[in-house]
Amino acid sequence: KKVFIDGSAGTTGLRIIERLQGRSDIELVTLSDNKRKLPEYRKQALNNCDIAFLCLPDEAAKEAVGLIENENTAVIDTSTAHRTDSGWVYGFPELSGQREKIKGSKRIANPGCHASGFIALVKPLIDSGVIPSDYNFSCFSLTGYSGGGKKMIAEYEEADRDFVFDAPRQYALAQQHKHLKEMKAVTGTENAPIFCPIVSDFYSGMCVTV
């Protein structure tokens, strides 16, 4: 299978390359640095691959999908752009019935990191009637700094960094975090949770409490 990673220079793209480049059953389609940002070359790569990973900001991911004319190209989007889009399948195979939907789809939205923990805990309880869908949840999620991308990684790992990075830091205080929409939509809860994401001084990993 031919695989193209649009946004291969970012943190997510680099991690996917790490996982795929040693496989003999996959051919990675790559673009040189002077071509990877040019629409005509990206369009060609997107239409000539079997699977395209989009590791891009939301608007750029939408633009990339618009470049695809090959109906056989399967797309896995790591951005938040399509996670609540009815035309896309939510890529969480552990959820009941979801694995078969993913197998049959050419448009798969990769779940958000914080959202995965919340959904894994809450959806089975709502689906089985243990907790009503109008329950008011609160969610605390402690994460490493790698999810913040290259800029945040550099801030945490520079030798003379600011002392504020030594302690856990809560963010998204306005309750407008980009994962809230999918947390609500996928679980079927009627109310978005009070969500407290916290980034701390370790590279990767996550602990979610509901």
Side-chain angles (χ1 to χ4, degrees):
K1 297 291 183 182
K2 291 184 178 181
V3 175
F4 174 59
I5 301 167
D6 198 1
S8 59
T11 307
T12 304
L14 290 171
R15 292 297 293 272
I16 295 172
I17 289 172
E18 259 179 48
R19 286 165 165 78
L20 298 183
Q21 63 186 358
R23 292 182 56 151
S24 59
D25 58 338
I26 287 175
E27 177 189 340
L28 281 176
V29 178
T30 58
L31 296 177
S32 61
D33 286 346
N34 63 328
K35 291 182 178 179
R36 62 184 176 82
K37 292 186 178 181
L38 298 175
E40 61 266 34
Y41 293 104
R42 288 174 55 224
K43 181 175 182 178
Q44 185 178 25
L46 287 164
N47 284 283
N48 289 338
C49 69
D50 298 294
I51 303 168
F53 285 91
L54 307 183
C55 304
L56 303 163
D58 288 8
E59 290 307 312
K62 292 175 183 177
E63 177 192 45
V65 173
L67 296 174
I68 300 173
E69 298 167 346
N70 183 353
E71 62 182 19
N72 294 315
T73 297
V75 182
I76 301 175
D77 183 11
T78 71
S79 80
T80 64
H82 300 103
R83 289 176 186 165
T84 58
D85 188 318
S86 61
W88 289 63
V89 170
Y90 195 69
F92 199 153
E94 291 82 3
L95 299 179
S96 179
Q98 205 68 5
R99 188 177 298 275
E100 291 307 313
K101 291 179 182 178
I102 293 168
K103 283 183 180 180
S105 177
K106 295 291 186 183
R107 296 290 183 270
I108 301 158
N110 196 65
C113 50
H114 294 290
S116 295
F118 178 81
I119 291 165
L121 292 165
V122 170
K123 183 168 174 57
L125 297 175
I126 289 180
D127 286 351
S128 60
V130 173
I131 294 177
S133 60
D134 63 352
Y135 190 83
N136 291 311
F137 294 98
S138 62
C139 177
F140 290 81
S141 185
L142 180 69
T143 181
Y145 57 79
S146 66
K150 286 185 175 180
K151 182 181 178 183
M152 184 174 285
I153 292 171
E155 288 175 335
Y156 270 90
E157 295 186 349
E158 64 182 357
D160 57 343
R161 71 181 190 185
D162 194 301
F163 73 91
V164 300
F165 299 111
D166 295 342
R169 299 182 299 139
Q170 187 175 340
Y171 64 102
L173 300 177
Q175 296 300 306
Q176 298 294 320
H177 193 282
K178 62 182 182 178
H179 289 180
L180 281 170
K181 287 183 180 178
E182 65 187 281
M183 290 160 80
K184 185 172 180 283
V186 177
T187 59
T189 182
E190 294 173 24
N191 308 304
I194 299 299
F195 181 44
C196 303
I198 301 159
V199 61
S200 192
D201 186 18
F202 56 94
Y203 185 78
S204 66
M206 186 165 287
C207 181
V208 180
T209 305
V210 175

